[in-house]
Amino acid sequence: MKLLQFAALLSVIYLMAGCSAQKQVNRKLGEMELRNKYHLGVSVVDSESGKKLIGWQDARYFNPASNTKIYTLYAAMRVVGDSLPGLQYRIAGDSLLFQGTGDPSFLHPELPVSNAYFFLKNAPQRLVYYTGEGSDTRFGPGWAWDDYSGYYQAEKSVFPIYGNVARFTGDSSSVLRADPPFWYPSLVGGAEKPGIEREEFTNTFHFKGRPLPPGLRQDIPVITSDRLTVSLLNASLGKEVESRPGVLSGEVRVVNSIPVDTAFKLMMYESDNLLAEHLMYAYAVKNNLRLHVGEAIRHAIEHHLRQMPDSLVWRDGSGLSRYNLFTPRSTTEVLSRMLREFPENRVLSLFPQTGKQGTVKHFLRNRPLRIYAKSGSFSNNYNLSGYLYSKKGKLLVFSVMNNNYAGPIRDLQRLTEAILEEIYEAF
């Protein structure tokens, strides 16, 4: 009897300690938000018990920026399988007829060469490319029109090649190195400042003098088209590719390209927007949908993101859209579902570790915290969501969302670091 009373007393003490820690953290969050005149939302959940530890304005909507990729990752993990669908094809006489699946890995400069490339390269048949139905737009809703030349806003397309960018690198022996060499004829002088500038409506790249120091690299999105796709296929495969409009009819087979986790890691570690958008195309292919990101998102919400704490305003795969709105508690719900549905070591491996990898390499550097998280930033907004091991060894699921801050992003990063250190100590 005394043992039971002692156990009950311990439970009360732990509960009071937890409430005290929660109040202390909430007080500091309120002071931080008031002092810095911005909007802050924080959700923290114990991964094992599912208990909410912190819920500071966690039911309010925030622009997630690249935290949107957490939702894209979850949807893709649910349905895509172990490899990306690289292309669809069938053999007709002496011809290999094929069409794109939106696979982003075909000669992507940061990914292994895909099976789809070798399949076409080594095919003995005549190659005939079907251009597809073109049901989606090159940019997503709410993307910034004047970011057309930013490396982070590559266009969407049915058959991406080289990540839909032209890569230029400064070289000690020449003015520039183009990758692929296909783009050399498109380089012209006439730029007004250092670096390389693309014309808004043509794939013409202007430079001034020696625009890039040796070793410095600049990736510039290209304007995609069926004609460009065929030209790049011809150049990269070293053989003639015929094109036909429309969708390939009849029964088709699929050639897989690369392991999905390879693509997942690049998307999550380096916040690759093209990969995020085209992973939603992979989701569409697996569900027999059109290659349309919006349609894939609606399907994912209906079939895999039911019974969320709050409705989702989800408009693109990458987070480039200013229209996206999620709540912190919805994000921790998705992160918690990942842990319940997939092996923990796999889930954590898909998120960069703070102080060590990717976009959070310099975040909380040389600190004892062990955090695996995805960042997301726009001007005036910075968010970080993922997994944190507390001082007591508990695995916590968290989402910290900072919006509408009238100052540099680095200030928001420091505030986020302070919040996570407080959570680390408190639980």
Side-chain angles (χ1 to χ4, degrees):
M1 187 67 177
K2 288 183 178 180
L3 186 60
L4 289 174
Q5 291 174 339
F6 180 68
L9 180 61
L10 278 180
S11 297
V12 172
I13 291 172
Y14 288 139
L15 181 62
M16 291 176 63
C19 291
S20 176
Q22 187 180 54
K23 288 180 179 178
Q24 180 179 343
V25 172
N26 280 343
R27 177 178 58 79
K28 292 185 177 181
L29 293 175
E31 292 172 352
M32 184 180 292
E33 184 176 33
L34 184 63
R35 183 170 60 251
N36 292 285
K37 300 179 182 179
Y38 76 115
H39 302 314
L40 170 65
V42 180
S43 175
V44 181
V45 176
D46 185 311
S47 67
E48 187 173 346
S49 66
K51 178 185 176 183
K52 179 191 290 188
L53 302 177
I54 297 292
W56 178 262
Q57 301 186 147
D58 63 340
R60 293 191 178 184
Y61 283 95
F62 294 80
N63 184 289
S66 282
N67 269 200
T68 304
K69 293 181 176 72
I70 294 171
Y71 293 75
T72 298
L73 175 65
Y74 178 68
M77 290 176 75
R78 288 293 301 261
V79 304
V80 172
D82 60 3
S83 299
L84 292 178
L87 56 83
Q88 296 173 328
Y89 77 97
R90 67 181 176 86
I91 305 294
D94 65 348
S95 299
L96 190 157
L97 317 179
F98 70 99
Q99 64 187 8
T101 58
D103 170 40
S105 70
F106 198 93
L107 295 177
H108 190 291
E110 302 299 327
L111 289 171
V113 181
S114 75
N115 293 328
Y117 172 79
F118 291 119
F119 178 76
L120 295 180
K121 179 78 172 175
N122 299 325
Q125 297 90 357
R126 182 170 64 100
L127 299 181
V128 181
Y129 169 62
Y130 279 73
T131 59
E133 58 187 359
S135 59
D136 207 354
T137 55
R138 64 190 181 110
F139 288 159
W143 289 15
W145 70 268
D146 57 344
D147 284 346
Y148 68 89
S149 64
Y151 71 92
Y152 47 84
Q153 194 162 292
E155 295 184 5
K156 296 178 288 178
S157 67
V158 173
F159 202 117
I161 304 182
Y162 296 103
N164 285 348
V165 300
R167 171 167 288 186
F168 301 102
T169 308
D171 193 290
S172 58
S173 61
S174 61
V175 175
L176 282 173
R177 187 171 72 248
D179 186 17
F182 176 89
W183 293 113
Y184 274 122
S186 301
L187 275 166
V188 298
E192 297 181 355
K193 57 185 179 180
I196 305 166
E197 302 172 354
R198 198 201 81 198
E199 292 184 4
E200 185 174 353
F201 300 111
T202 70
N203 286 321
T204 303
F205 304 91
H206 293 273
F207 67 95
K208 178 182 179 182
R210 195 181 187 88
L212 299 175
L216 190 64
R217 188 180 76 201
Q218 188 173 348
D219 289 348
I220 302 179
V222 299
I223 299 173
T224 60
S225 67
D226 295 334
R227 183 177 179 180
L228 177 62
T229 298
V230 172
S231 295
L232 288 172
L233 283 171
N234 287 338
S236 63
L237 296 172
K239 58 173 72 174
E240 188 72 22
V241 177
E242 179 186 339
S243 69
R244 293 180 187 172
V247 179
L248 181 59
S249 61
E251 186 176 349
V252 297
R253 303 180 70 179
V254 175
V255 175
N256 289 329
S257 59
I258 63 172
V260 289
D261 283 7
T262 302
F264 290 163
K265 287 180 180 179
L266 183 60
M267 175 183 73
M268 298 297 283
Y269 281 44
E270 303 301 332
S271 208
D272 189 299
N273 294 320
L274 178 99
L275 285 181
E277 298 299 327
H278 288 76
L279 282 172
M280 294 310 300
Y281 283 164
Y283 178 97
V285 169
K286 288 293 185 176
N287 287 285
N288 298 312
L289 305 172
R290 296 184 304 152
L291 292 185
H292 191 283
V293 171
E295 190 169 319
I297 287 172
R298 288 189 289 273
H299 186 280
I301 291 174
E302 181 180 351
H303 293 85
H304 304 290
L305 289 161
R306 290 181 175 180
Q307 298 179 329
M308 294 291 289
D310 305 287
S311 59
L312 305 178
V313 184
W314 184 11
R315 299 300 300 277
D316 69 2
S318 62
L320 282 169
S321 177
R322 288 280 182 173
Y323 301 153
N324 292 319
L325 290 172
F326 300 143
T327 65
R329 66 182 184 181
S330 288
T331 300
T332 52
E333 171 63 20
V334 173
L335 291 165
S336 297
R337 290 185 186 187
M338 282 189 193
L339 284 182
R340 291 197 296 268
E341 297 171 18
F342 304 99
E344 181 181 310
N345 60 346
R346 182 192 179 198
V347 172
L348 296 184
S349 75
L350 298 178
F351 287 75
Q353 187 173 357
T354 57
K356 294 186 177 182
Q357 299 160 327
T359 58
V360 293
K361 184 176 182 179
H362 301 290
F363 191 90
L364 284 170
R365 204 166 190 173
N366 302 320
R367 308 287 180 88
L369 282 74
R370 188 174 158 208
I371 300 173
Y372 302 86
K374 180 73 193 76
S375 61
S377 61
F378 273 141
S379 298
N380 314 112
N381 296 353
Y382 183 79
N383 312 298
L384 191 74
S385 303
Y387 308 98
L388 178 156
Y389 282 95
S390 73
K391 194 172 185 178
K392 297 176 182 176
K394 291 183 178 181
L395 180 58
L396 308 180
V397 183
F398 75 90
S399 178
V400 178
M401 307 192 78
N402 307 281
N403 278 196
N404 298 346
Y405 177 75
I409 292 297
R410 182 55 191 148
D411 288 352
L412 288 179
Q413 291 174 330
R414 292 191 183 99
L415 293 173
T416 304
E417 287 177 332
I419 290 169
L420 294 177
E421 287 184 307
E422 193 70 34
I423 292 168
Y424 167 80
E425 294 287 343
F427 301 102

